Amino acid sequence: MSAMESKDENCFFISMVISIGLIFIAIVRVIYVIYQTGKPLRPKSPKPMSTLIVLGSGGHTAEMINVLSTLQKDRFMPRFYIAAATDNMSLQKARVLEDSLVDTNGGKVIPAKFMQIYRSREVGQSYITSIGTTLIAIAHALWLMIKIRPQVILCNGPGTCVPLCVIAFLFKVIGIRWSSIFYVESIARVKRLSLSGLLLYKLHIADQFYVQWPQLQRKYPRALYVGCLM
């Protein structure tokens, strides 16, 4: 065996060891993040926590507004509202809510920010063309998450929450930002989870997963039953 062949074999062996080591570290990190997922927030955080609120068309926004009415507003701020680019009504409702908070507190509220995100797929769009729009939506979601880097994410079912939550989970693994994800399944889901909820539940992405019907909690034991929030 020539010296050149021996050197190539050594380089290959070293590369394999490094690759296996990196894969092992990545797996351990993912397991650690999943293990830590679900741990409660510190009860007395010294500072407010930046909060990302994902809105959706239909009843999703109405339910989320109802959930927000129960929060300690001074603890969850600044607040960032995100809705699909084709959904204007949801952001209008969020602005009405924030304006009411300003009036109630005499203007002593950190102004909320309102953003839009591209949809992965519009209703009726073909699956072939949705490949391109999905890639654009993921890139846009990544840009928004880098810009916001929220400490808390609140969502309740719209499909736009999935890429945002997945990116937040990856940020945890990489160590960029630890975001606590709270998912509240829609009250319309009585027997089965929505696709968004099922993905976040099965992949252990949501830190706290809430359902509004007891039969759902029995079917998905890691979920927390909170009763009807509407």
Side-chain angles (χ1 to χ4, degrees), residues 70-81:
T70 65
L71 292 182
Q72 294 176 272
K73 308 299 187 301
D74 57 343
R75 189 181 182 199
F76 297 94
M77 62 182 188
R79 289 180 289 278
F80 300 86
Y81 293 88

Side-chain angles (χ1 to χ4, degrees), residues 76-170:
F76 297 94
M77 62 182 188
R79 289 180 289 278
F80 300 86
Y81 293 88
I82 287 186
T86 54
D87 180 10
N88 294 316
M89 291 298 296
S90 294
L91 292 182
Q92 289 180 10
K93 293 177 181 178
R95 286 190 177 95
V96 170
L97 173 66
E98 289 295 327
D99 289 342
S100 68
L101 296 177
V102 172
D103 294 338
T104 302
N105 293 276
K108 297 179 180 179
V109 176
I110 298 177
K113 294 186 179 181
F114 306 90
M115 304 174 177
Q116 291 182 306
I117 185 173
Y118 291 113
R119 285 182 184 269
S120 298
R121 180 174 179 268
E122 296 291 346
V123 177
Q125 182 181 354
S126 68
Y127 288 103
I128 295 177
T129 59
S130 67
I131 295 175
T133 55
T134 298
L135 294 176
I136 294 173
I138 292 173
H140 191 208
L142 177 60
W143 179 80
L144 288 173
M145 288 298 294
I146 292 174
K147 182 179 180 180
I148 300 171
R149 291 199 296 173
Q151 294 167 279
V152 175
I153 298 177
L154 301 177
C155 51
N156 67 339
T160 48
C161 77
V162 175
L164 294 168
C165 291
V166 170
I167 291 170
F169 182 83
L170 293 177

